[in-house]
Amino acid sequence: MSQSDSPFPVRDYLHPRFWPTWLGLGLLRLTVLLPYPALNFLAKVLGLLGYGLLPSRRRIVRTNLRLAFPQLDNPTIHRLMRENFHSSAMALFESALAWWGSEKRLKSLYRVEGLENLREAEAKGKGVLLLGGHYTTLEISGRFLAYHVNRLRPTYKRAHNLLFEAVMVHNRRKMLDGLIRSRDMRDILRNLKQKKVVWYAPDQDFGYRGSVFAPFMGVQTATLTLTARMAKASGAPLVPFYSERLPGNQGYLIRVGPAIEAFPTGDDVRDATLVNQAIEEQVRRTPAQYLWGHRRFKTRPRGERQLYKVRRHKSMQRYTGLLTLLSLPIVLYTVWTALRNRDARYLIERLGLSATDIRADIQLHAASIGEFNAALPLIQLLQSEYPDRQLLVSMNTPSSRALAQKRLGDSVRYSYLPIDWQWAVNRHMQRVQPTCLLIMETELWPNLYEYCFQHGIRNIIINGRLSRRTIEAPQWIRRCLKQTLLYCYFVLARSEEDRQHFKTLAGPRKVKLVGNIKYAATPTRHAAGMELGRPYVLAASTRDGEEHWIVESWLKLEAPRPLLVIAPRHIQRLNNILDDLKPFALNIAVRSRDETVTADTDIYIADTFGELDQFIAGADFVLMGGGFKAHGGQNILEAARAGKAVIFGSHMDNFRAEARDLLAADGAIQINEQSELYTAIKTLLEDSSQRARMGTSAQAFIEAHQDIAERYLDELQQLCPVLNSSEGRVTSDEV
């Protein structure tokens, strides 16, 4: 034992925040004066109080015991739970005995078996790895063992409470040869080289890093590979060490088992299994004396249901609080949208109030029209390959639902995705109960992702898109997004740039570049061109302020000018558009008012739903809105697929990859200033061969990538269990 008599640095811990800890430690110190039976009785009382007052800890203990001993009935489990709370409370008093108890008293409390196994291991001259476990007798057994091993150095994990940590370390150093941080492999190896006996307990959950899944008490458990690596690097034998509290106030038994033979084997899973089996021996012998209060089975194989309730990160708590504060305006907007669209389902389902059973094998979420159009080839491919799988398509807007029902009819189920309140998400997901949730592009809803993680639903981002603006968002937003993506099962990214952005937040292991699904060719026929009786140029998906900007350039063209058709991104902006264009004193016809195009019409506003593809097909070329002003851009691929030359602006943040690819294919023109817009329009109007060549190039580029939906399906067959079996799939023999 160490003879260190260095005084405890009391002055470092006089701040008032340490006073409650001082009080607790003082009371704990006084318990050393009590006889052992009184300590045991006090622990029973304290254990009963903990059992009644700590429901979350009680749930963890119950979960662990049911997993470890599935053969036991409920009365036996509850008896073990109460005994475990008693044992954990007794561990507090045993710590006091270990730190402050007299040597005479302690030596009368235990007996030891198997010391010859330790001596045999020491004789090999490589040091000894003493394999321990987190038994409730851990602290006092270290004091007992120190009476027999002069060169004992246990590893330890720092405590959160600074004062408790300091007291614990101070007292352990008095009774032991030294201490080692549990994850400091270099220090462990250094001590083994010095022929020390290093006590090491690897039975804690440190997550995926440095771990493999191996059975512990019949449950696949994240187990550190560090034990095998240390044994291999040092040549030290691995010797099991056990301790237990004997019944009837008889004291303690500590045992040293024979060294584990042929360890390490070179197989990480096999080595981890051997380690777990050694610890398991004592757990089965004294099941109530293991620290079941910690989440031993927390880390699950990816995609499995969580065994404990997920601890909410602070960023998630703040997000939920903010969403709650915004509930009133959110509800009012939802009511207004439902009334405007005369859609009661929108109100009921967005607020999470629907009780309809809409169970599905796969839920695919496409927030708006753009996401749905991008997902349509994949949806149709899923229906073709897996006709027996039930598919639910969810969305955020009435317009996207109307389009989905028009394109897919009754072949799938439909629902609005509820607002991301926890209770609303819970109700919705309980109604659906999907195996996989496929989310188009960039819909990052924290509570939805947390639910999927908790319940083992594989949420997979399709065509993943993440802008630089998101990566550079304020720190509190990035923290929330990072936590959200930790709950994401996998990300299939649309571009290398997006893959790198997702890696920044989600890590490299669950992000893969597949390509832009918007390049996929739908199996439907191309839309017939809209006939207006005059040639026209289409300004598609224009956003606020862009109509005025485009018309200013348009009017610089020499008369006679072709017809300019404006199809706004949001058709409810009609009155604002008309007000913006009023100073030009132009002859404007509005489609929703059934006003026809005449020879005198200057501008035709196509403010109707579901006709954009027809206007694109009939146009000479397309001015794609959303990028002339800072709105992030709009999808330019529909125009390219229709074989139309496209002009777009410089603000294409949300469609940067598409813009770059079409420019490289010579299928589009990007402008930075208003003067450049006039020049580009004039060039394409005057040179029909150039616009035809650009349209052909754009269409050829799209067709060269038309297999992208099949590539996404190939990935999903590996990621989604309901798709990676032959059951329900149409084979070539059946076609």
Side-chain angles (χ1 to χ4, degrees), residues 250-315:
Q250 297 179 67
Y252 304 86
L253 170 66
I254 62 172
R255 297 183 297 124
V256 181
I260 298 176
E261 295 182 1
F263 186 89
T265 66
D267 182 327
D268 284 345
V269 175
R270 175 59 181 157
D271 290 336
T273 301
L274 290 172
V275 168
N276 287 344
Q277 286 175 345
I279 298 171
E280 207 174 292
E281 178 184 326
Q282 184 63 47
V283 176
R284 294 191 181 280
R285 179 175 168 129
T286 53
Q289 293 184 31
Y290 189 66
L291 282 173
W292 292 120
H294 73 291
R295 301 174 184 231
R296 182 64 189 97
F297 310 110
K298 179 181 68 174
T299 301
R300 308 309 309 139
R302 296 189 189 277
E304 278 196 10
R305 183 186 185 94
Q306 298 302 298
L307 301 176
Y308 315 102
K309 186 176 180 181
V310 175
R311 287 176 175 171
R312 304 213 78 204
H313 192 267
K314 286 184 179 179
S315 62

Side-chain angles (χ1 to χ4, degrees), residues 158-455:
R158 295 190 66 174
H160 295 295
N161 185 298
L162 294 179
L163 174 55
F164 185 84
E165 158 82 6
V167 171
M168 177 182 69
V169 169
H170 176 77
N171 284 288
R172 284 181 176 179
R173 282 179 173 159
K174 285 198 304 182
M175 62 185 184
L176 300 166
D177 186 51
L179 297 174
I180 309 171
R181 295 281 177 83
S182 59
R183 300 299 294 270
D184 191 343
M185 183 173 176
R186 289 184 179 180
D187 198 16
I188 293 173
L189 292 176
R190 189 181 305 114
N191 278 273
L192 290 173
K193 188 176 181 180
Q194 296 170 1
K195 302 181 181 180
K196 305 279 188 180
V197 176
V198 176
W199 177 93
Y200 178 70
D203 56 332
Q204 285 185 298
D205 193 325
F206 288 96
Y208 295 109
R209 187 176 180 182
S211 299
V212 294
F213 283 96
F216 175 63
M217 302 299 294
V219 181
Q220 288 296 315
T221 307
T223 308
L224 290 170
T225 60
L226 185 61
T227 313
R229 286 189 285 135
M230 290 188 301
K232 181 179 180 180
S234 65
L238 184 66
V239 177
F241 173 69
Y242 307 111
S243 62
E244 62 186 89
R245 189 181 305 108
L246 299 173
N249 296 318
Q250 297 179 67
Y252 304 86
L253 170 66
I254 62 172
R255 297 183 297 124
V256 181
I260 298 176
E261 295 182 1
F263 186 89
T265 66
D267 182 327
D268 284 345
V269 175
R270 175 59 181 157
D271 290 336
T273 301
L274 290 172
V275 168
N276 287 344
Q277 286 175 345
I279 298 171
E280 207 174 292
E281 178 184 326
Q282 184 63 47
V283 176
R284 294 191 181 280
R285 179 175 168 129
T286 53
Q289 293 184 31
Y290 189 66
L291 282 173
W292 292 120
H294 73 291
R295 301 174 184 231
R296 182 64 189 97
F297 310 110
K298 179 181 68 174
T299 301
R300 308 309 309 139
R302 296 189 189 277
E304 278 196 10
R305 183 186 185 94
Q306 298 302 298
L307 301 176
Y308 315 102
K309 186 176 180 181
V310 175
R311 287 176 175 171
R312 304 213 78 204
H313 192 267
K314 286 184 179 179
S315 62
M316 302 288 281
Q317 295 174 3
R318 290 167 183 164
Y319 164 80
T320 299
L322 179 61
L323 198 63
T324 302
L325 289 175
L326 295 174
S327 293
L328 181 58
I330 289 172
V331 170
L332 292 176
Y333 176 79
T334 305
V335 171
W336 177 77
T337 302
L339 291 174
R340 182 166 56 86
N341 290 276
R342 299 179 181 179
D343 190 349
R345 289 175 308 187
Y346 179 84
L347 178 64
I348 294 170
E349 292 176 359
R350 286 289 281 165
L351 296 183
L353 301 177
S354 177
T356 307
D357 185 352
I358 49 173
R359 294 190 184 188
D361 299 303
I362 299 172
Q363 177 178 345
L364 187 145
H365 179 64
S368 60
I369 290 176
E371 284 84 356
F372 173 76
N373 282 331
L376 184 58
L378 179 60
I379 294 172
Q380 293 171 326
L381 199 57
L382 284 168
Q383 291 180 308
S384 173
E385 294 274 338
Y386 299 92
D388 293 338
R389 300 292 187 237
Q390 183 64 59
L391 183 64
L392 170 76
V393 178
S394 60
M395 60 286 294
N396 291 350
T397 64
S399 57
S400 58
R401 181 164 186 157
L403 178 62
Q405 290 179 320
K406 178 181 177 181
R407 295 287 183 89
L408 297 172
D410 296 330
S411 64
V412 302
R413 291 178 172 176
Y414 304 95
S415 176
Y416 291 108
L417 189 72
I419 295 159
D420 200 40
W421 295 309
Q422 278 186 293
W423 63 270
V425 167
N426 291 353
R427 281 178 59 91
H428 171 80
M429 296 305 290
Q430 287 165 8
R431 290 167 56 219
V432 183
Q433 299 183 19
T435 300
C436 290
L437 171 62
L438 310 181
I439 302 170
M440 289 299 297
E441 297 198 351
T442 186
E443 291 280 300
L444 301 177
W445 296 111
N447 288 328
L448 175 63
Y449 280 48
E450 184 182 70
Y451 182 95
C452 290
F453 179 77
Q454 177 76 66
H455 293 84

